[in-house]
Amino acid sequence: MDPLQFLVPFGWLSAVGPALPYAILVMALANLATRHLAHRRHVEQAAESDAVEQYAPHVFTNFGLASLSFLFAVHAPTRGTILTFLVVTMIIADLFEFEARNVEARNDMTVEAPKSAIVTSGLILLFASYYSLFFLVEGFWNQAIVA
């Protein structure tokens, strides 16, 4: 018996649960791509004005990654909690990095890449790759690590 079955009807989650790691992997790749595009746009905006604006596709991928990680935490509590922790850390880093880009634009400084958010996004990509693509290395893993 699932302890949450009386609070929220999550029957549909058991049907889509096995596909969540793949969706998270795709969203993590999209997040890295939009992060690169957002940085290019911030550099252009800083050259033209004294402020930068949020890049809507990047905000969408952040929100999507957070939503998927929360769903994954319900489906697979341990793995989902680890992923959710990384995603929340990335979002907090994004907020601070965005404010840093605004300060750099106002003070006519060089707009730097969001290094901490990039590292966290990379960790999320590694984690999502491990859980979604484990079948590629499962044979070697079972022979080398488990045995």
Side-chain angles (χ1 to χ4, degrees):
M1 178 169 79
D2 186 16
L4 294 175
Q5 73 184 10
F6 298 112
L7 297 175
V8 182
F10 280 126
W12 61 272
L13 188 58
S14 62
V16 298
L20 282 175
Y22 302 108
I24 291 169
L25 178 64
V26 169
M27 193 62 78
L29 287 169
N31 187 276
L32 279 171
T34 58
R35 182 174 307 284
H36 176 70
L37 296 173
H39 176 65
R40 283 196 333 196
R41 184 172 172 165
H42 289 165
V43 169
E44 292 170 1
Q45 287 176 346
E48 296 172 0
S49 66
D50 287 343
V52 296
E53 297 175 359
Q54 291 278 3
Y55 188 58
H58 183 61
V59 173
F60 173 77
T61 59
N62 277 349
F63 180 74
L65 205 50
S67 301
L68 287 173
S69 70
F70 289 138
L71 285 175
F72 193 53
V74 172
H75 176 69
T78 303
R79 295 179 283 171
T81 302
I82 294 168
L83 181 68
T84 301
F85 174 75
L86 290 171
V87 169
V88 169
T89 302
M90 181 197 65
I91 290 173
I92 291 171
D94 267 344
L95 292 173
F96 281 103
E97 295 281 357
F98 177 71
E99 291 303 320
R101 300 302 79 82
N102 272 324
V103 168
E104 290 169 351
R106 276 194 299 269
N107 295 327
D108 294 327
M109 298 169 65
T110 308
V111 177
E112 294 183 11
K115 296 175 191 124
S116 61
I118 290 171
V119 169
T120 311
S121 292
L123 287 174
I124 291 170
L125 181 64
L126 283 173
F127 193 78
S129 298
Y130 174 74
Y131 280 113
S132 61
L133 303 175
F134 184 72
F135 66 91
L136 296 174
V137 296
E138 186 174 13
F140 172 73
W141 185 269
N142 288 337
Q143 288 179 354
I145 305 300
V146 177

